[in-house]
Amino acid sequence: MRKLSAVKVDPSRLKIDTLFKQAKDQIAAVNTYASHARQSKLQMMREVRLLSEQEETLRNLLDHPQNLALLTAHRIDKDRLRIFESELEALLNTSRQVLVKARESFDSQLRIQKLKDAIFLVNDRLTKSKKEGAFASLIAAKSIPRSLNCLSTRLMEERISNPSEYIESGEVAPEFEDPNLYHYAIFSDNVLAASVVVNSAVANARDPSKHVFHVVVDKMNLWAMRVWFKMRPPNNTTHIEVKAVEDYTFLNSSYVPVLRQLESAKLQKFYFENQMENATKDAPNMKFRNPKYLSIMNHLRFYLAEMYPKLHKILFLDDDVVVQKDLTALWELDMEGKVNAAVETCFGSFHRYDNYMNFSHPLIKERMNPKACAWAYGMNLFDLDAWRRERCTEEYHFWQNNNENRLLWKLGTLPPGLITYYKTTKPIDKSWHVLGLGYNPNIDREKIESAAVIHYNGNMKPWLNLAMKQYKHYWTKYV
């Protein structure tokens, strides 16, 4: 037992084992940092290259035959051990210096990457919040306020309570078809909005008895609208015709493309899906997911010549406008054979045709100029004789049928209007029609007050709580 315990281990053998272990530990450390840098996709390519070179150099030193022989030799070559130790120490010192720099860079890059991830997450949440806010704003803008809903309900109560007061003769008054009078078309299911348009136009007309208003409404709101104008006529001389869109029997799905398209299951899903995450997934075109853009009420403007076959000219007014001046001068305009008189909206590169249509589609590319100037709906004088001559309704049907899959333009009525009346629109002075009171808080007051018609286009309609206070009084004084 004493002899066994007295056996001594060669210290050179221990040194060799220690040196090889140090080298392998350093290789493992080098590989760990290089692997993390690669997996994290950090911007450390120089450090990765240096670490890879250190790993390769250390392995070459360990795998050198003379150095491997030190592990198995019965008698250790002291000179070779000293050379190996010296070379390894030099390599380890260099490798540790590289590793220290890599660690500093790695930690900095890791912090940067974590910061980038945090910024991305915050930005993603912000984008989602913006979409949800825009969706909520859209709902607020398109919903019917309780006060307006109650107004329609009370008007219907009046009709039911006093049916004898509201009996329709069924005869068409001659004024409604007299081409020598000034005719207006207003398509709306909003009683208060339609009444403001009529009231403001009548209040500023030089001779109200020569003005005829054709109000078209959906069947559900027909009697509410009729009762309102019966109870609150703007005066005793102005002529107001209130009809339901259903009275125009030719407007059916066999003739009207949008009605036929609305029967498509794909389009119904696009419009009527109620989940907010689906409704907001196409944020730039979110507003076009409102079903009104495929409503026949919104597309009646393309059937004016057929709805009023005995008229020569008619002025189309949106229900979110206010008339501030006598408009009869519009009927005296020289239309130069054009169909549509409208205010142009382009400036610089904005509001050009390529902002509204897909010019990568050959049908659009071959027939339209992408830099043609767009114009505004809301106040448009239509020469119905020129309309019939140019076959505008047929032109509109051609384009609407080709856009069932929404590849030519997104949705709405302005793009098909721009196409239908391409090269048949006469620009008129901008003072006739000032836009933006429903979204732009910075319109010059003098510009507003000198305008013939002001337009609350946008989400902030004057009958909503969203309305901008500085513009609201222009509308409320005609309520």
Side-chain angles (χ1 to χ4, degrees):
M1 291 295 293
R2 287 176 185 166
K3 288 182 180 179
L4 287 172
S5 62
V7 174
K8 294 183 179 180
V9 178
D10 188 348
S12 297
R13 180 73 59 195
L14 290 174
K15 181 179 281 189
I16 291 171
D17 292 340
T18 302
L19 291 175
F20 268 84
K21 185 177 184 305
Q22 286 179 348
K24 289 177 180 179
D25 288 346
Q26 190 65 21
I27 289 172
V30 165
N31 283 338
T32 299
Y33 272 93
S35 174
H36 277 299
R38 289 190 192 98
Q39 290 175 7
S40 303
K41 298 180 181 178
L42 302 176
Q43 303 301 313
M44 295 177 58
M45 294 312 298
R46 179 176 176 275
E47 286 77 4
V48 170
R49 180 175 55 80
L50 289 174
L51 290 168
S52 298
E53 289 175 357
Q54 288 298 311
E55 187 260 351
E56 185 179 359
T57 306
L58 284 167
R59 283 199 181 281
N60 289 339
L61 180 64
L62 294 182
D63 293 341
H64 192 281
Q66 291 182 332
N67 296 332
L68 287 174
L70 292 172
L71 290 170
T72 57
H74 293 291
R75 293 190 61 182
I76 296 172
D77 185 341
K78 304 292 185 179
D79 293 333
R80 184 62 209 166
L81 178 58
R82 280 194 296 273
I83 294 171
F84 173 61
E85 184 179 9
S86 175
E87 289 178 349
L88 181 59
E89 186 177 353
L91 280 177
L92 289 175
N93 288 335
T94 304
S95 178
R96 288 182 185 118
Q97 290 174 7
V98 171
L99 211 56
V100 168
K101 291 181 180 179
R103 185 183 295 115
E104 292 173 356
S105 180
F106 178 79
D107 291 344
S108 298
Q109 288 291 333
L110 195 60
R111 283 195 292 271
I112 290 170
Q113 186 63 39
K114 286 181 178 179
L115 185 59
K116 284 181 178 179
D117 292 342
I119 291 171
F120 178 81
L121 182 62
V122 170
N123 189 58
D124 189 54
R125 288 176 180 172
L126 179 61
T127 302
K128 186 177 180 181
S129 296
K130 283 182 177 179
K131 288 181 181 180
E132 291 174 355
F135 182 70
S137 175
L138 193 66
I139 292 296
K142 304 306 178 186
S143 299
I144 300 174
R146 181 183 296 178
S147 57
L148 288 184
N149 186 56
C150 290
L151 173 63
S152 295
T153 303
R154 292 181 66 182
L155 291 169
M156 283 301 298
E157 287 176 358
E158 167 64 21
R159 164 73 174 81
I160 293 168
S161 301
N162 302 288
S164 59
E165 296 288 328
Y166 305 102
I167 296 174
E168 294 289 319
S169 65
E171 296 180 2
V172 178
E175 293 83 3
F176 295 155
E177 297 180 338
D178 186 349
N180 297 312
L181 299 179
Y182 304 110
H183 293 263
Y184 301 77
I186 303 165
F187 307 140
S188 175
D189 55 8
N190 186 326
V191 174
L192 210 57
S195 72
V196 168
V197 179
V198 173
N199 290 344
S200 62
V202 170
N204 292 285
R206 282 195 292 268
D207 185 356
S209 66
K210 292 185 178 180
H211 294 255
V212 182
F213 296 88
H214 303 270
V215 180
V216 179
V217 64
D218 59 13
K219 198 168 187 178
M220 186 172 69
N221 292 285
L222 174 64
W223 280 107
M225 192 76 78
R226 282 181 174 173
V227 171
W228 176 272
F229 282 112
K230 178 80 172 179
M231 294 177 67
R232 293 174 174 269
N235 58 38
N236 295 323
T237 60
T238 301
H239 313 286
I240 302 173
E241 176 189 44
V242 180
K243 295 182 72 173
V245 64
E246 290 81 4
D247 293 335
Y248 299 94
T249 54
F250 70 92
L251 296 173
N252 53 62
S253 59
S254 64
Y255 180 64
V256 179
V258 292
L259 291 179
R260 185 170 60 255
Q261 289 165 10
L262 196 53
E263 294 173 355
S264 158
K266 189 175 180 181
L267 271 184
Q268 286 181 13
K269 181 181 178 183
F270 179 83
Y271 279 110
F272 298 109
E273 58 187 6
N274 292 319
Q275 296 179 8
M276 186 176 67
E277 61 270 25
N278 292 331
T280 59
K281 63 189 175 187
D282 187 17
N285 300 296
M286 189 192 305
K287 67 177 184 178
F288 296 125
R289 286 182 172 267
N290 193 308
K292 82 161 195 172
Y293 287 103
L294 213 61
S295 161
I296 185 58
M297 286 290 291
N298 209 39
H299 287 256
L300 285 179
R301 63 195 71 191
F302 294 105
Y303 299 95
L304 289 167
E306 292 165 281
M307 294 171 71
Y308 309 106
K310 295 184 179 181
L311 302 183
H312 302 310
K313 289 183 179 179
I314 195 166
L315 185 66
F316 168 76
L317 293 176
D318 268 339
D319 66 357
D320 54 354
V321 306
V322 173
V323 179
Q324 301 188 128
K325 292 184 178 180
D326 180 78
L327 300 179
T328 53
L330 284 170
W331 277 264
E332 308 304 322
L333 281 175
D334 179 7
M335 295 285 285
E336 301 173 358
K338 302 294 178 66
V339 176
N340 171 33
V343 167
E344 291 185 329
T345 56
C346 62
F347 60 96
S349 61
F350 296 98
H351 298 288
R352 302 283 178 179
Y353 269 48
D354 58 1
N355 299 138
Y356 299 93
M357 300 159 215
N358 176 19
F359 272 85
S360 65
H361 196 286
L363 263 180
I364 297 289
K365 187 176 181 180
E366 290 168 6
R367 305 193 188 196
M368 306 287 159
N369 177 3
K371 298 306 173 187
C373 189
W375 43 266
Y377 264 129
M379 190 213 73
N380 306 80
L381 182 73
F382 289 104
D383 184 330
L384 300 182
D385 293 331
W387 179 312
R388 298 176 188 107
R389 184 178 64 251
E390 296 288 341
R391 301 172 64 86
C392 290
T393 302
E394 289 86 343
E395 181 77 3
Y396 159 70
H397 281 180
F398 169 80
W399 290 102
Q400 192 68 44
N401 282 324
N402 278 283
N403 194 50
E404 186 169 357
N405 51 11
R406 304 186 302 281
L407 292 179
L408 304 184
W409 66 85
K410 289 301 179 184
L411 292 158
T413 52
L414 182 56
L418 294 175
I419 296 174
T420 300
Y421 308 116
Y422 181 58
K423 294 187 176 179
T424 61
T425 295
K426 177 182 173 62
I428 58 176
D429 190 273
K430 294 185 185 297
S431 64
W432 279 110
H433 184 192
V434 169
L435 298 109
L437 279 75
Y439 69 88
N440 183 0
N442 301 312
I443 305 173
D444 183 69
R445 180 177 176 180
E446 184 179 344
K447 186 178 178 183
I448 293 173
E449 295 182 352
S450 63
V453 172
I454 55 175
H455 194 170
Y456 292 83
N457 57 309
N459 285 341
M460 300 178 185
K461 302 300 184 189
W463 54 83
L464 300 175
N465 291 331
L466 295 173
M468 286 183 272
K469 292 181 180 178
Q470 67 267 38
Y471 303 144
K472 196 164 184 175
H473 68 280
Y474 297 112
W475 186 84
T476 53
K477 67 180 180 181
Y478 292 108
V479 174

